[in-house]
Amino acid sequence: MDYTVIIGLEVHVQLLTRSKIFCGCSTEFNPTNPNVQTCPVCLGLPGALPVMNRQAFDLSLQTALALNCEISPFTKWDRKQYYYPDLPKGYQISQYDLPFSEDGWVEIDIDVAAGETKKIGIIRAHLEEDAGKNMHDESGRKTDSQVDLNRAGTPLLEIVSQPDMRSPAEAKRYLEELRLLLTYLGVSDCNMQEGSLRCDANVNLHIHEGVEKIATPIVEIKNLNSFRNVELAIEYEVQRQCEEWQKSHRKIGDVAKETRGWDAVRGVTFAQRGKEEASDYRYFPDPDLVPVIVPAERIEQVKAGLCEFPADRRKRLAVTYQLSDYDVRVVIDQGPAYADYFEHVAQTCGDGKQACNWVTQDVLRELNERKLTIGEFPISAEVLGKLLQRIPQKQITIKSAREVFMDLLAGADQGTAATSERIQQLIDEKGLAIVSDTGELEGVIASVVGKNPKAVADFQAGKQAAVGALIGQVMREVKGADPQTVRQMLIEKLSQ
Ligand SMILES: [Zn+2]
């Protein structure tokens, strides 16, 4: 069967505001104390009037500009009517025909090694309020269902992509790039476990039969809560739609759009309900909220204040610090604070590659083991940079630097701050300084050579390996000697 997979994604992002979108209630994630973050507005009590949260609008504006969207100078609020226990007003405040932004794109990598990229179109990004959460008893004892309205009224940005993705892997890549961008912008914590980022996938197939191209009915898979599940659910759905086509030969338009859920345990999608059309919701402008007018100067102002985007930062890091695409990706993918840390280390020690090796290996390993964020890491970028500086300056070896690094961490665990002074102290205490005084070395080398006539004879008979044992003996005598220098001096001595 010859077919193309067509995927479009709708992503709901919870914005990082302290209060809800139309009232002053806290947006904190608080599942243990239901219904405490509520007021007459988000409970939908009669007579309560909403007021727009300016911060929510500003964060959306930043995101839409970073997504290369056109910003509408005039935007309004609409009521999307439907009844559900977690929606006490009986309607959701959203944006229908005049969203605040439209027509953007995000660039994703298709093949990093080949430098192949692809632009995924963004149809629109609009603001709306979240509903509460219905909690059904899953113990099988059939107790009552409950409703928690702590989340009702949390600001959500809905980002709707064009159906531009052609494989589950591309869909996953798009989500990764989108999440990275949102993280760098600082507009959302993108915590999928807490529901700060949720995704619906629209999937169908274009079947190629001779010169004809037939589209199969579109299926929307709702509420995918991890990138892995997005990939798996789409993979499953493609297979299912192939089989469905062979059985029924149903085309787009023959049946209503279908909504399906994803059962991660069984690894299948399942039918939920026929998808409502927009007309079912009886959208109309919300009379309680004034339209929002965005002056051109405001857009320019927000644009000027935007951060460096991850894609741009990748390019700059590769050039500035002479890093491979792989290294740059590891640094950028860990988030803006980590990328800042790396840049600080690199600038302090003056060697980008060395800094990258340490930050992406030693530091990352310790962060993972200690379950710390880079902001909590006991060795500051300045101190690590100062430590690494000593390697090209031939003050200590890489091996000794590692020893100091681990000692700094162990010290921090005991309450000793990891400072530059502490580095010097450790080097002195352990005698790790590279001995640059060749006078001392010469004496030790002469004595070691004198004590090992067999090794000397072996070397002079052409056995290069014999020098290894002698290096070891010299290093034991002179702590902190640079092995390279010792080897060189030994060979010179033996060749005399
Ligand atoms: Zn409220």
PDB file of all heavy atoms in Angstrom, residues 315-331:
ATOM      1  N   LYS A 315      23.653  27.744  16.688  1.00  0.00           N
ATOM      2  CA  LYS A 315      24.571  28.187  15.626  1.00  0.00           C
ATOM      3  C   LYS A 315      25.705  29.013  16.223  1.00  0.00           C
ATOM      4  O   LYS A 315      26.870  28.821  15.880  1.00  0.00           O
ATOM      5  CB  LYS A 315      23.812  29.029  14.588  1.00  0.00           C
ATOM      6  CG  LYS A 315      22.908  28.187  13.710  1.00  0.00           C
ATOM      7  CD  LYS A 315      22.214  29.025  12.635  1.00  0.00           C
ATOM      8  CE  LYS A 315      21.017  28.263  12.078  1.00  0.00           C
ATOM      9  NZ  LYS A 315      19.796  29.064  11.980  1.00  0.00           N
ATOM     10  N   ARG A 316      25.376  29.930  17.150  1.00  0.00           N
ATOM     11  CA  ARG A 316      26.404  30.793  17.714  1.00  0.00           C
ATOM     12  C   ARG A 316      27.421  29.989  18.533  1.00  0.00           C
ATOM     13  O   ARG A 316      28.637  30.203  18.418  1.00  0.00           O
ATOM     14  CB  ARG A 316      25.755  31.867  18.596  1.00  0.00           C
ATOM     15  CG  ARG A 316      26.769  32.840  19.208  1.00  0.00           C
ATOM     16  CD  ARG A 316      26.107  33.993  19.940  1.00  0.00           C
ATOM     17  NE  ARG A 316      25.313  33.575  21.077  1.00  0.00           N
ATOM     18  CZ  ARG A 316      25.828  33.211  22.261  1.00  0.00           C
ATOM     19  NH1 ARG A 316      27.125  33.200  22.454  1.00  0.00           N
ATOM     20  NH2 ARG A 316      25.019  32.856  23.246  1.00  0.00           N
ATOM     21  N   LEU A 317      26.921  29.048  19.350  1.00  0.00           N
ATOM     22  CA  LEU A 317      27.818  28.248  20.182  1.00  0.00           C
ATOM     23  C   LEU A 317      28.786  27.423  19.332  1.00  0.00           C
ATOM     24  O   LEU A 317      29.970  27.320  19.655  1.00  0.00           O
ATOM     25  CB  LEU A 317      26.997  27.304  21.084  1.00  0.00           C
ATOM     26  CG  LEU A 317      26.880  27.698  22.558  1.00  0.00           C
ATOM     27  CD1 LEU A 317      26.399  29.120  22.723  1.00  0.00           C
ATOM     28  CD2 LEU A 317      25.975  26.734  23.305  1.00  0.00           C
ATOM     29  N   ALA A 318      28.257  26.853  18.237  1.00  0.00           N
ATOM     30  CA  ALA A 318      29.104  26.018  17.374  1.00  0.00           C
ATOM     31  C   ALA A 318      30.271  26.839  16.830  1.00  0.00           C
ATOM     32  O   ALA A 318      31.408  26.384  16.810  1.00  0.00           O
ATOM     33  CB  ALA A 318      28.278  25.432  16.237  1.00  0.00           C
ATOM     34  N   VAL A 319      29.980  28.069  16.417  1.00  0.00           N
ATOM     35  CA  VAL A 319      31.020  28.912  15.820  1.00  0.00           C
ATOM     36  C   VAL A 319      31.949  29.469  16.904  1.00  0.00           C
ATOM     37  O   VAL A 319      33.170  29.360  16.808  1.00  0.00           O
ATOM     38  CB  VAL A 319      30.371  30.072  15.022  1.00  0.00           C
ATOM     39  CG1 VAL A 319      31.441  31.024  14.511  1.00  0.00           C
ATOM     40  CG2 VAL A 319      29.542  29.514  13.879  1.00  0.00           C
ATOM     41  N   THR A 320      31.360  30.054  17.953  1.00  0.00           N
ATOM     42  CA  THR A 320      32.166  30.730  18.980  1.00  0.00           C
ATOM     43  C   THR A 320      33.101  29.772  19.715  1.00  0.00           C
ATOM     44  O   THR A 320      34.240  30.106  20.000  1.00  0.00           O
ATOM     45  CB  THR A 320      31.237  31.389  20.024  1.00  0.00           C
ATOM     46  OG1 THR A 320      30.256  32.130  19.322  1.00  0.00           O
ATOM     47  CG2 THR A 320      32.005  32.333  20.939  1.00  0.00           C
ATOM     48  N   TYR A 321      32.602  28.571  20.035  1.00  0.00           N
ATOM     49  CA  TYR A 321      33.402  27.670  20.877  1.00  0.00           C
ATOM     50  C   TYR A 321      33.926  26.463  20.111  1.00  0.00           C
ATOM     51  O   TYR A 321      34.438  25.526  20.719  1.00  0.00           O
ATOM     52  CB  TYR A 321      32.576  27.228  22.091  1.00  0.00           C
ATOM     53  CG  TYR A 321      32.081  28.391  22.913  1.00  0.00           C
ATOM     54  CD1 TYR A 321      30.758  28.795  22.849  1.00  0.00           C
ATOM     55  CD2 TYR A 321      32.956  29.111  23.727  1.00  0.00           C
ATOM     56  CE1 TYR A 321      30.304  29.893  23.583  1.00  0.00           C
ATOM     57  CE2 TYR A 321      32.517  30.190  24.457  1.00  0.00           C
ATOM     58  CZ  TYR A 321      31.192  30.573  24.385  1.00  0.00           C
ATOM     59  OH  TYR A 321      30.753  31.646  25.112  1.00  0.00           O
ATOM     60  N   GLN A 322      33.758  26.483  18.774  1.00  0.00           N
ATOM     61  CA  GLN A 322      34.295  25.394  17.941  1.00  0.00           C
ATOM     62  C   GLN A 322      33.783  24.032  18.391  1.00  0.00           C
ATOM     63  O   GLN A 322      34.566  23.110  18.590  1.00  0.00           O
ATOM     64  CB  GLN A 322      35.830  25.403  18.015  1.00  0.00           C
ATOM     65  CG  GLN A 322      36.478  26.727  17.668  1.00  0.00           C
ATOM     66  CD  GLN A 322      36.601  26.889  16.171  1.00  0.00           C
ATOM     67  OE1 GLN A 322      37.205  26.071  15.506  1.00  0.00           O
ATOM     68  NE2 GLN A 322      36.000  27.947  15.626  1.00  0.00           N
ATOM     69  N   LEU A 323      32.454  23.920  18.564  1.00  0.00           N
ATOM     70  CA  LEU A 323      31.880  22.663  19.041  1.00  0.00           C
ATOM     71  C   LEU A 323      31.202  21.917  17.906  1.00  0.00           C
ATOM     72  O   LEU A 323      30.760  22.524  16.925  1.00  0.00           O
ATOM     73  CB  LEU A 323      30.843  22.929  20.142  1.00  0.00           C
ATOM     74  CG  LEU A 323      31.334  23.658  21.393  1.00  0.00           C
ATOM     75  CD1 LEU A 323      30.179  23.842  22.363  1.00  0.00           C
ATOM     76  CD2 LEU A 323      32.467  22.892  22.062  1.00  0.00           C
ATOM     77  N   SER A 324      31.091  20.586  18.050  1.00  0.00           N
ATOM     78  CA  SER A 324      30.384  19.775  17.061  1.00  0.00           C
ATOM     79  C   SER A 324      28.879  19.987  17.227  1.00  0.00           C
ATOM     80  O   SER A 324      28.427  20.451  18.275  1.00  0.00           O
ATOM     81  CB  SER A 324      30.712  18.298  17.268  1.00  0.00           C
ATOM     82  OG  SER A 324      30.137  17.864  18.488  1.00  0.00           O
ATOM     83  N   ASP A 325      28.098  19.597  16.188  1.00  0.00           N
ATOM     84  CA  ASP A 325      26.636  19.696  16.272  1.00  0.00           C
ATOM     85  C   ASP A 325      26.117  18.904  17.454  1.00  0.00           C
ATOM     86  O   ASP A 325      25.190  19.320  18.140  1.00  0.00           O
ATOM     87  CB  ASP A 325      25.990  19.165  14.988  1.00  0.00           C
ATOM     88  CG  ASP A 325      26.122  20.156  13.850  1.00  0.00           C
ATOM     89  OD1 ASP A 325      26.402  21.332  14.136  1.00  0.00           O
ATOM     90  OD2 ASP A 325      25.966  19.743  12.686  1.00  0.00           O
ATOM     91  N   TYR A 326      26.746  17.739  17.679  1.00  0.00           N
ATOM     92  CA  TYR A 326      26.307  16.882  18.780  1.00  0.00           C
ATOM     93  C   TYR A 326      26.499  17.584  20.127  1.00  0.00           C
ATOM     94  O   TYR A 326      25.576  17.654  20.934  1.00  0.00           O
ATOM     95  CB  TYR A 326      27.078  15.560  18.759  1.00  0.00           C
ATOM     96  CG  TYR A 326      26.752  14.698  19.951  1.00  0.00           C
ATOM     97  CD1 TYR A 326      25.598  13.911  19.967  1.00  0.00           C
ATOM     98  CD2 TYR A 326      27.570  14.704  21.081  1.00  0.00           C
ATOM     99  CE1 TYR A 326      25.271  13.154  21.070  1.00  0.00           C
ATOM    100  CE2 TYR A 326      27.243  13.943  22.198  1.00  0.00           C
ATOM    101  CZ  TYR A 326      26.098  13.175  22.183  1.00  0.00           C
ATOM    102  OH  TYR A 326      25.772  12.440  23.299  1.00  0.00           O
ATOM    103  N   ASP A 327      27.698  18.131  20.344  1.00  0.00           N
ATOM    104  CA  ASP A 327      27.993  18.812  21.612  1.00  0.00           C
ATOM    105  C   ASP A 327      27.036  19.983  21.849  1.00  0.00           C
ATOM    106  O   ASP A 327      26.511  20.165  22.944  1.00  0.00           O
ATOM    107  CB  ASP A 327      29.434  19.337  21.606  1.00  0.00           C
ATOM    108  CG  ASP A 327      30.442  18.216  21.857  1.00  0.00           C
ATOM    109  OD1 ASP A 327      30.023  17.171  22.373  1.00  0.00           O
ATOM    110  OD2 ASP A 327      31.627  18.400  21.525  1.00  0.00           O
ATOM    111  N   VAL A 328      26.828  20.770  20.797  1.00  0.00           N
ATOM    112  CA  VAL A 328      25.961  21.947  20.900  1.00  0.00           C
ATOM    113  C   VAL A 328      24.553  21.522  21.317  1.00  0.00           C
ATOM    114  O   VAL A 328      23.921  22.157  22.157  1.00  0.00           O
ATOM    115  CB  VAL A 328      25.919  22.681  19.543  1.00  0.00           C
ATOM    116  CG1 VAL A 328      24.796  23.683  19.516  1.00  0.00           C
ATOM    117  CG2 VAL A 328      27.249  23.359  19.276  1.00  0.00           C
ATOM    118  N   ARG A 329      24.096  20.428  20.734  1.00  0.00           N
ATOM    119  CA  ARG A 329      22.759  19.935  21.025  1.00  0.00           C
ATOM    120  C   ARG A 329      22.632  19.522  22.497  1.00  0.00           C
ATOM    121  O   ARG A 329      21.650  19.827  23.158  1.00  0.00           O
ATOM    122  CB  ARG A 329      22.477  18.740  20.127  1.00  0.00           C
ATOM    123  CG  ARG A 329      21.130  18.746  19.472  1.00  0.00           C
ATOM    124  CD  ARG A 329      21.181  18.021  18.156  1.00  0.00           C
ATOM    125  NE  ARG A 329      21.498  18.995  17.131  1.00  0.00           N
ATOM    126  CZ  ARG A 329      20.593  19.773  16.566  1.00  0.00           C
ATOM    127  NH1 ARG A 329      19.329  19.700  16.914  1.00  0.00           N
ATOM    128  NH2 ARG A 329      20.942  20.655  15.663  1.00  0.00           N
ATOM    129  N   VAL A 330      23.642  18.832  23.007  1.00  0.00           N
ATOM    130  CA  VAL A 330      23.591  18.399  24.412  1.00  0.00           C
ATOM    131  C   VAL A 330      23.501  19.632  25.317  1.00  0.00           C
ATOM    132  O   VAL A 330      22.705  19.676  26.243  1.00  0.00           O
ATOM    133  CB  VAL A 330      24.829  17.543  24.787  1.00  0.00           C
ATOM    134  CG1 VAL A 330      24.787  17.179  26.269  1.00  0.00           C
ATOM    135  CG2 VAL A 330      24.878  16.278  23.942  1.00  0.00           C
ATOM    136  N   VAL A 331      24.301  20.646  25.013  1.00  0.00           N
ATOM    137  CA  VAL A 331      24.313  21.869  25.842  1.00  0.00           C
ATOM    138  C   VAL A 331      22.959  22.579  25.776  1.00  0.00           C
ATOM    139  O   VAL A 331      22.352  22.880  26.808  1.00  0.00           O
ATOM    140  CB  VAL A 331      25.448  22.816  25.397  1.00  0.00           C
ATOM    141  CG1 VAL A 331      25.326  24.162  26.104  1.00  0.00           C
ATOM    142  CG2 VAL A 331      26.810  22.194  25.687  1.00  0.00           C
TER     143      VAL A 331
END
